[in-house]
Amino acid sequence: MDRTNHNLISNIPEISAIYFALLQCGYDYYSIERGREHNDTVRSFVGSGAVPSFFCGIKQNTCEVYPYWPRAAILETASFYLSPDHLRFREYDAFRERIMLAGNIADGERNQALWTWIAEFPAALSQVLESDAYQRYLEWENRWIAEQNVKYEKELSLIQRCLDMCVSKYGSPVRELQIVINPIKCVYSADYHLAGDRFVFSSGDFRLDSVIHEFLHHVVHPVAVAHEDMVLERGRVYPDLDESYYLSGDTADQLNAFEEYAVRRLTKDILAMDFPKSLTDYLRKLLE
């Protein structure tokens, strides 16, 4: 894996703009498990600038635990498919295919209503990016990001060692890692994005196990899919998984549940520097 400037905590202005806009639309998940000083600072940016009403459409009722799933994550993904001037989509068909094939998004969450709504994203995002209020916020966020790099220097070094092993042992295509931490995003919300050979971890907080966990999803996923018949035959309910994983009971949900269970188990092993020789054998043993 290329080590050049890739294992640092950083931000992506487009993703930062999404959460700044959400903040103006009543998003209050920023305050969970954060200190008073942090929350007071974030709160000071509420009402600092008007944002397009488009962003209020992120909140849905399909996920009781986190009503901003999956649209906030979908917009993060969409930001990688915008033209350099942010005014239009590029490779729109590839973006749409990625969302339509995602195993953790229900069909009702990616119906025509989503695509009609998301057509307004480039213009809405551009308006936020160009606003003085957002630029003032971003100046503070940049300072906050620099503090996170100092605070987690040792953990970042450990992540590098773990991921180097995963790449060499499990054939990951990743050559660059970017850890994007946003001070507004909920600390329990973690997403990942594959942009070419770059793996982007996106969350509201830096947590060592969470970075490893999200990275492992893209490693485990193809192996889990290859064992679809065995997963469906077992039809198991896996320990410590939320009931939402089994809501529809269809093939995608069962595969998604198994993948999540396998990634959780594998994360614990890898943090203990115990790397299975074969992921195929490892997953088969879990199914047994």
Side-chain angles (χ1 to χ4, degrees):
M1 184 185 290
D2 176 17
R3 294 175 175 271
T4 305
N5 295 325
H6 73 280
N7 203 24
L8 297 175
I9 297 170
S10 62
N11 56 6
I12 293 177
E14 293 82 0
I15 291 178
S16 298
I18 291 168
Y19 287 95
F20 174 80
L22 268 179
L23 184 67
Q24 311 312 315
C25 294
Y27 185 88
D28 58 2
Y29 282 80
Y30 68 85
S31 63
I32 298 174
E33 291 196 12
R34 284 185 165 121
R36 178 181 297 179
E37 182 179 353
H38 180 99
N39 289 338
D40 286 346
T41 301
V42 171
R43 196 176 298 114
S44 71
F45 292 105
V46 176
S48 60
V51 299
S53 59
F54 164 85
F55 290 99
C56 296
I58 296 177
K59 189 175 184 180
Q60 299 286 287
N61 60 7
T62 57
C63 180
E64 183 178 351
V65 177
Y66 186 59
Y68 296 91
W69 169 265
R71 286 196 171 186
I74 289 173
L75 288 191
E76 288 190 28
T77 300
S79 69
F80 294 97
Y81 291 87
L82 296 177
S83 61
D85 61 6
H86 306 106
L87 294 177
R88 63 192 61 82
F89 279 102
R90 60 173 177 81
E91 300 179 14
Y92 177 82
D93 290 343
F95 160 59
R96 180 170 178 138
E97 182 180 20
R98 173 161 289 189
I99 299 304
M100 295 305 291
L101 292 177
N104 56 349
I105 300 176
D107 288 342
E109 296 170 330
R110 54 190 173 196
N111 56 18
Q112 188 54 45
L114 169 69
W115 302 109
T116 300
W117 170 75
I118 214 166
E120 301 176 25
F121 177 53
L125 182 68
S126 296
Q127 187 174 326
V128 176
L129 288 168
E130 294 169 1
S131 70
D132 292 338
Y134 169 68
Q135 291 300 323
R136 288 193 297 271
Y137 160 77
L138 189 60
E139 289 178 4
W140 170 75
E141 185 182 285
N142 286 334
R143 294 193 296 272
W144 183 83
I145 289 292
E147 293 170 359
Q148 306 309 299
N149 278 296
V150 174
K151 182 178 181 180
Y152 296 112
E153 184 177 4
K154 291 182 179 179
E155 288 86 347
L156 291 170
S157 179
L158 176 58
I159 284 175
Q160 183 61 66
R161 293 200 300 272
C162 288
L163 298 191
D164 281 347
M165 289 291 287
C166 287
V167 169
S168 64
K169 281 181 170 289
Y170 308 133
S172 167
V174 170
R175 292 297 175 268
E176 181 182 356
L177 169 68
Q178 184 173 9
I179 301 174
V180 174
I181 305 298
N182 185 276
I184 297 174
K185 187 174 183 177
C186 177
V187 299
Y188 291 118
S189 177
D191 304 288
Y192 76 84
H193 311 280
L194 284 171
D197 61 2
R198 176 167 54 118
F199 180 91
V200 180
F201 169 85
S202 171
S203 185
D205 190 23
F206 177 86
R207 297 185 179 185
L208 178 63
D209 58 341
S210 187
V211 177
I212 300 295
H213 176 102
E214 293 301 327
F215 179 85
L216 288 174
H217 265 292
H218 91 279
V219 176
V220 169
H221 178 73
V223 185
V225 170
H227 288 77
E228 176 180 335
D229 291 344
M230 188 178 294
V231 172
L232 298 180
E233 180 183 342
R234 296 293 188 275
R236 293 179 53 189
V237 174
Y238 302 99
D240 302 321
L241 287 194
D242 186 86
E243 291 181 1
S244 62
Y245 282 94
Y246 308 101
L247 284 180
S248 71
D250 62 15
T251 298
D253 274 6
Q254 291 184 56
L255 280 172
N256 191 38
F258 173 66
E259 179 181 328
E260 177 65 20
Y261 171 67
V263 166
R264 291 184 186 187
R265 291 285 301 268
L266 185 58
T267 298
K268 291 180 180 180
D269 290 340
I270 284 180
L271 284 173
M273 304 307 285
D274 181 9
F275 295 85
K277 292 182 178 179
S278 165
L279 280 184
T280 296
D281 292 343
Y282 184 84
L283 265 61
R284 282 177 176 169
K285 185 173 293 186
L286 292 180
L287 284 168
E288 292 172 359

